[in-house]
């Protein structure tokens, strides 16, 4: 219990282990990285249990999950679709029908039935590749059945061993976000690969070049070559092209990497922690070629001879995609282990992969089967690894819910990842899931969430500012922390005076607030796993004291695949109102930034004077009113806060004052911390 309410501290089971030496007993404190991972597992459990409660309604009208519907759900789907299709044109023009259609789209997956033209595999093949499906009579192989496709699971793989009880296996996370923008050690980028042309073609590859720092660093490298007489630098548009030297790896024919990675040779950019991009072949051309090379008798004859390519069966296509995943896991585990420690101070390496093949692979109608097979493979992978976790990233809420249902139904011996939580934590996760499903949960996000995205803590941020004024920037040259007894407000006062009165060692003079905001803007571009897990929960209100814009970015990446039709996408994207900087009256979700935003450096609350002015301002009174409204009407979940944080304790005091005038604080269940 902390402050005014019951709190649960998510920490590993072995966080406090007694080590007795003689008559002295010492308690070992939990490792920060280990505790952060358990926090991620806890929130992943909350997200899974919450999504399961809503999964049935989201699946009924979504044809990607037809094979997983019960008989009753199939009858309901047929009845609803028949009712919709049998309406007259006059009836369809009414506001009541429009409302019904919108409700079915947003709640039961109807948008996936009518919103994506030609999404069925056979329709795609017919319209894009113009393949002949008829076999010519008289073909001697016409009645021969093709042998089963090669099974990726049957191939020997040293990384996949049988999990034994008593070990500490890895974990399979599931979130709703953009796979190429998650802070991880390596991610799978599916697409059409051409080693001869050095190209990776696909929507995820395009988004990676557009959103990551890779293109920016490549341009800097080219400019450096130009300055050293090494040639003319390309234009920015050329630096972001898909033409980069690709590297193949021995024994792996489905995956490649970029040969000259952007963060390999960039001097002070060597610690950018850019995720390793591993491209995987999933294109329909490759699937067709593999199937027809394996089964040459299945080609149909054509006037030009040789025969047209035969459409492969669904099971072969799924096995093709699984083989790409297997090669990704094998290559990624080898490369990240050789790279050193995991990114952003995680306890274990993190590999990310999407639901591959459902976009450019034209297997959208097999999404349910692909998710089931994919989860089985990555679960088998992590259960024998004590150094790696995997996150499966979905791009829409229906696929996210489906993946969570599959995980929830797997027996513990097949999916042991949640065994890291004790019984009390698992029960509390179920309570929070019920609150989230009922839309009774509000989030209060602290700096610990941004640390998972690669940003520093408050002390780390002040240390970075001080490093700019020391002779070499070495850690041993810092003195402000010891001088102020590590009081952050006192440290900020000294550094604020330095920034206002002198230039740093590079001759640059900027205010403290400008330096802080510049660093957060330059480095806050990838989304931490903890933040993505939070954004996957259903909520309508959120409060933060962070300056960065990571929450806004994460909200934009939620349901990132739902881009058409526009009318449907507008109902499934999170229209976020950022108060007080970008308010929107009709937004369904709102974020309150209490201490300012990097977009307005002059407004951030950083020094003692800033706090003193803020407490007495009319702006603070208005913003505190919104916080108090959340406290009175929602269950407030604190994430990324220290239980000794003065801001946390101040909010807890507000809870007590607002809610417990007439009854004691022991009955409180309105706040919790993770």
């Amino acid at each position: 219990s902390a402050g005014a309410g019951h709190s649960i501290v998510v920490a590993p089971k072995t966080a406090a282990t007694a080590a007795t030496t003689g008559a002295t007993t010492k308690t070992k404190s939990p490792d920060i990285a280990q505790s952060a991972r358990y926090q991620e597992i806890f929130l992943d459990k909350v997200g899974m249990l919450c999504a399961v409660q809503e999964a049935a309604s989201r699946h009924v009208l979504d044809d990607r999950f037809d094979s997983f519907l019960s008989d009753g759900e199939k009858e309901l789907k047929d009845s609803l679709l028949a009712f919709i299709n049998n309406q007259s044109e006059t009836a369809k023009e009414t506001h009541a029908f429009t409302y019904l259609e919108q409700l079915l789209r947003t709640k039961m997956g109807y948008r996936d039935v009518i919103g994506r033209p030609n999404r069925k595999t056979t329709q795609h093949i017919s319209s894009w590749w113009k393949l002949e499906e008829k076999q010519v009579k008289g073909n001697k192989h016409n009645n021969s059945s093709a042998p089963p496709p090669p099974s990726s699971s049957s191939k020997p793989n040293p990384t996949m061993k049988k999990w034994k009880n008593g070990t500490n296996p890895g974990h399979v996370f599931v979130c709703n976000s953009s796979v190429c923008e998650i802070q991880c050690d390596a991610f799978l980028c599916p697409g059409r690969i051409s080693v001869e042309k050095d190209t990776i073609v696909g929507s995820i590859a395009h988004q990676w070049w557009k959103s990551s720092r890779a293109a920016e660093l490549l341009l800097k490298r080219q400019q450096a070559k130009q300055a050293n007489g090494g040639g003319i630098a390309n234009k920015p548009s050329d630096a972001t092209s898909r033409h980069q030297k690709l590297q193949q790896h021995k024994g792996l024919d489905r995956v490649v990497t970029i040969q000259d990675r952007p963060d390999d040779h960039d001097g002070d950019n060597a610690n950018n922690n850019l995720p390793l991009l591993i491209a995987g072949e999933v294109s329909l051309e490759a699937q067709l070629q593999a199937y027809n090379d394996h089964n040459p008798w299945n080609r149909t004859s054509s006037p030009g001879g040789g025969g047209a390519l035969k459409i492969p069966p669904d099971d072969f296509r799924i096995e093709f995609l699984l083989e790409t995943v297997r090669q990704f896991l094998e290559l990624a585990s080898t490369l990240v282990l050789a790279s050193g420690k995991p990114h952003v101070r995680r306890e274990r390496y993190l590999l990310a992969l999407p639901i591959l093949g459902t976009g450019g692979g034209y297997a959208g109608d097999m999404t349910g089967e692909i998710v089931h097979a994919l989860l089985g493979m990555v679960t088998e992978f992590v259960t024998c690894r004590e150094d790696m976790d995997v996150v499966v990233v979905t791009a829409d809420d229906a696929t996210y819910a489906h993946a969570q249902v599959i995980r929830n139904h797997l027996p513990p011996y097949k999916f042991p990842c949640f065994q890291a939580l004790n019984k009390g934590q698992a029960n509390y996760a179920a309570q929070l899931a019920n609150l989230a499903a009922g839309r009774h949960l509000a989030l209060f996000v602290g700096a610990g969430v941004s640390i998972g995205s690669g940003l520093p803590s408050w002390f780390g941020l002040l240390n970075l500012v001080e490093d700019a004024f020391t002779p070499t920037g070495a850690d041993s040259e810092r003195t402000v922390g010891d001088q102020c007894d590590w009081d952050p407000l006192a440290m900020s006062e000294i550094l604020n005076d330095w920034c206002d009165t002198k230039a740093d060692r590079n001759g640059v003079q900027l205010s403290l607030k400008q330096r802080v905001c510049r660093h957060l803007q330059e480095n806050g571009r990838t989304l931490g796993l903890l933040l993505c897990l939070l954004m996957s929960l259903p909520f309508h209100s959120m409060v933060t004291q962070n300056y960065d814009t990571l929450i806004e970015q994460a909200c934009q990446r939620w349901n990132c695949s739902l881009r058409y039709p526009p009318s449907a996408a507008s109902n499934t994207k999170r229209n976020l109102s950022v108060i007080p900087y970008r308010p929107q009256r009709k937004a369904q979700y709102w974020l309150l930034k209490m201490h300012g935003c990097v977009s307005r450096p002059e407004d951030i609350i950083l020094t003692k004077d800033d706090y003193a002015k803020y407490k007495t301002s009319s702006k603070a009174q208005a913003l505190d009113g919104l916080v108090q409204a959340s406290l009175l009407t929602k269950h407030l979940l604190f994430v990324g806060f220290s239980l000794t944080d003065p801001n946390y304790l101040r909010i807890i005091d507000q809870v007590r004052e607002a809610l417990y005038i007439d009854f004691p604080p022991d009955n409180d269940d309105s706040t919790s911390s993770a």
Side-chain angles (χ1 to χ4, degrees):
S1 180
H6 296 300
S7 298
I8 182 169
V9 181
V10 181
K13 293 179 180 178
T14 58
T17 57
T20 305
T21 305
T24 304
T25 301
K26 296 182 179 180
T27 301
K28 183 180 178 181
S29 299
D31 179 77
I32 293 178
Q34 187 182 25
S35 298
R37 178 173 176 270
Y38 276 79
Q39 188 181 56
E40 293 168 348
I41 294 175
F42 175 80
L43 288 175
D44 190 38
K45 180 80 170 182
V46 175
M48 182 188 74
L49 297 177
C50 177
V52 167
Q53 298 184 35
E54 302 181 333
S57 64
R58 295 188 183 278
H59 285 181
V60 171
L61 297 182
D62 196 326
D63 59 346
R64 296 174 298 172
F65 311 110
D66 281 352
S67 60
F68 295 88
L69 296 180
S70 64
D71 293 339
E73 289 172 335
K74 290 179 181 179
E75 292 182 9
L76 176 62
K77 176 180 179 178
D78 293 340
S79 299
L80 288 174
L81 293 180
F83 174 78
I84 294 294
N85 295 330
N86 291 333
Q87 299 301 309
S88 65
E89 294 299 324
T90 304
K92 292 181 180 180
E93 293 176 357
T94 62
H95 291 291
F97 183 86
T98 302
Y99 175 79
L100 175 61
E101 186 180 50
Q102 179 180 352
L103 184 65
L104 294 178
R105 288 187 178 191
T106 57
K107 299 298 183 182
M108 302 185 70
Y110 187 57
R111 61 177 178 271
D112 292 312
V113 177
I114 66 173
R116 298 185 177 186
N118 295 331
R119 191 175 51 78
K120 282 285 188 180
T121 305
T122 52
Q123 292 174 332
H124 271 306
I125 294 176
S126 299
S127 60
W128 285 88
W129 307 109
K130 300 179 181 179
L131 297 175
E132 299 284 344
E133 292 194 56
K134 275 186 184 178
Q135 293 188 344
V136 178
K137 295 181 179 180
N139 190 321
K140 63 179 180 179
H141 298 296
N142 189 42
N143 297 324
S144 301
S145 59
S151 173
S152 61
S153 58
S154 63
K155 294 190 176 184
N157 187 355
T159 64
M160 294 185 180
K161 304 174 184 177
K162 186 176 181 180
W163 173 71
K164 296 181 180 180
N165 194 12
T167 61
N168 187 14
H171 186 78
V172 178
F173 298 92
V174 176
C175 69
N176 183 344
S177 188
S178 173
V179 68
C180 61
E181 296 174 70
I182 289 183
Q183 182 63 265
C184 59
D185 294 280
F187 74 96
L188 175 60
C189 179
R192 185 170 71 249
I193 301 173
S194 173
V195 179
E196 295 78 12
K197 298 180 180 180
D198 288 325
T199 58
I200 306 170
V201 180
S203 58
I204 293 179
H206 175 75
Q207 180 63 22
W208 182 73
W209 282 108
K210 181 180 177 182
S211 61
S212 75
R213 297 191 65 186
E216 177 184 340
L217 295 179
L218 285 173
L219 179 59
K220 288 182 179 179
R221 183 185 303 165
Q222 293 172 349
Q223 291 172 341
K225 289 182 179 180
Q226 180 188 23
N228 296 328
I232 301 176
N234 293 335
K235 297 179 181 179
S237 58
D238 296 330
T240 59
S241 70
R242 301 187 182 118
H243 296 273
Q244 298 296 329
K245 188 65 176 177
L246 301 181
Q247 180 178 357
Q248 294 179 294
H249 299 268
K250 185 177 180 180
L252 304 175
D253 59 347
R254 300 275 182 85
V255 292
V256 297
T257 56
I258 295 178
Q259 192 173 71
D260 194 14
R261 290 183 58 199
D263 60 343
D264 282 344
H265 312 290
D266 286 285
D268 58 348
N269 290 321
N271 294 322
N272 280 319
N273 289 333
L274 292 179
L276 170 64
L277 182 150
I278 299 179
E281 180 63 71
V282 299
S283 65
L284 182 61
E285 301 100 316
Q287 296 178 38
L288 295 173
Q289 192 64 46
Y291 178 69
N292 288 273
D293 287 347
H294 187 73
N295 306 301
W297 54 84
N298 276 337
R299 290 177 180 265
T300 60
S301 62
S302 65
L309 297 180
K310 178 70 176 179
I311 300 174
D314 290 351
D315 58 350
F316 183 93
R317 301 186 66 194
I318 292 176
E319 289 294 337
F320 181 95
L321 298 175
L322 289 183
E323 174 62 19
T324 299
V325 174
R326 187 196 68 82
Q327 293 190 17
F328 161 75
L329 294 174
E330 181 178 339
L331 179 60
S333 58
T334 301
L335 295 180
V336 300
L337 284 174
S339 65
K341 296 181 179 180
H343 285 178
V344 284
R345 296 177 287 178
R346 288 193 93 253
E347 183 198 21
R348 306 189 185 195
Y349 298 97
L350 181 65
L351 309 180
L353 64 160
I355 310 299
L356 69 168
T358 56
Y362 298 110
D365 54 341
M366 296 188 296
T367 299
E369 290 81 358
I370 293 174
V371 171
H372 190 276
L374 180 63
L375 283 174
M377 172 167 281
V378 297
T379 301
E380 181 185 358
F381 173 78
V382 299
T383 51
C384 65
R385 301 297 300 253
E386 296 190 10
D387 55 356
M388 291 189 186
D389 294 326
V390 174
V391 54
V392 176
V393 186
T394 68
D396 64 90
D397 51 355
T399 305
Y400 170 78
H402 180 68
Q404 299 289 31
V405 169
I406 292 176
R407 285 205 304 170
N408 188 54
H409 284 87
L410 286 175
Y413 65 88
K414 287 188 177 181
F415 196 86
C417 306
F418 287 118
Q419 292 184 6
L421 302 177
N422 59 40
K423 186 176 180 180
Q425 293 166 351
N427 292 337
Y428 200 78
Q431 295 177 32
L432 288 179
N434 292 333
L435 290 168
R439 305 302 188 269
H440 300 307
L441 194 65
L443 305 178
F444 203 115
V445 179
V449 176
S450 296
I451 290 176
S453 301
L455 294 182
S457 63
W458 196 0
F459 286 113
L461 202 55
L462 296 177
N463 286 336
L464 288 173
V465 174
E466 182 181 1
D467 290 344
F469 291 90
T470 57
T472 63
D475 295 353
S476 59
E477 296 173 343
R478 298 171 184 164
T479 60
V480 175
D482 293 333
Q483 181 181 345
C484 301
D485 197 22
W486 294 100
D487 179 359
L489 291 179
M491 292 172 63
S492 64
E493 287 293 332
I494 294 178
L495 295 175
N496 189 46
D497 292 338
W498 288 9
C499 294
D500 290 341
T501 58
K502 58 183 179 181
D504 59 23
R505 67 172 178 271
N506 296 321
V508 178
Q509 185 170 359
L510 290 173
S511 68
L512 175 62
K513 295 181 179 182
Q514 289 175 327
R515 288 181 183 274
V516 167
C517 291
R518 172 179 290 187
H519 178 82
L520 296 178
Q521 287 177 319
E522 291 178 351
N523 295 278
R525 302 191 184 186
T526 55
L527 307 175
L529 176 59
L530 182 61
L531 179 59
C532 293
L533 293 172
L534 283 173
M535 292 301 104
S536 301
L537 296 174
F539 67 92
H540 292 281
S541 57
M542 183 184 301
V543 183
T544 185
Q545 295 174 340
N546 299 347
Y547 311 133
D548 57 70
T549 59
L550 289 171
I551 295 176
E552 295 93 308
Q553 296 176 42
C555 283
Q556 293 175 355
R557 299 298 175 258
W558 182 79
N559 274 3
C560 60
S561 71
L562 300 180
R563 299 171 182 168
Y564 48 97
S567 59
S570 63
N571 294 323
T572 54
K573 301 294 287 185
R574 279 180 172 163
N575 298 319
L576 186 67
S577 177
V578 183
I579 303 171
Y581 301 101
R582 199 173 66 249
Q584 299 181 28
R585 292 186 179 277
K586 296 184 179 181
Q588 293 181 327
Y589 307 90
W590 59 266
L591 167 66
L592 173 60
K593 308 194 79 168
M594 297 183 66
H595 287 177
C597 182
V598 293
S599 61
R600 300 278 293 274
E602 66 278 4
D603 284 354
I604 67 173
I605 311 300
L606 189 58
T607 64
K608 285 184 179 180
D609 290 340
D610 295 332
Y611 276 96
K613 294 177 182 178
Y614 176 80
K615 290 180 180 179
T616 59
S617 65
S618 58
K619 175 182 177 181
Q621 296 177 1
L623 298 183
D624 286 348
L626 290 176
V627 177
Q628 293 172 0
S630 295
L631 297 175
L632 291 167
T633 59
K634 301 287 185 181
H635 183 98
L636 194 58
L637 176 65
F638 288 82
V639 186
F641 272 87
S642 166
L643 297 184
T644 60
D645 188 293
N647 294 318
Y648 171 82
L649 297 177
R650 180 174 61 86
I651 297 297
I652 290 298
D653 288 338
Q654 290 181 351
V655 176
R656 178 176 294 156
E657 294 175 2
L659 298 178
Y660 303 107
I661 298 176
D662 298 327
F663 48 92
D666 288 342
N667 295 328
D668 175 37
D669 63 350
S670 65
T671 64
S672 57
S673 63

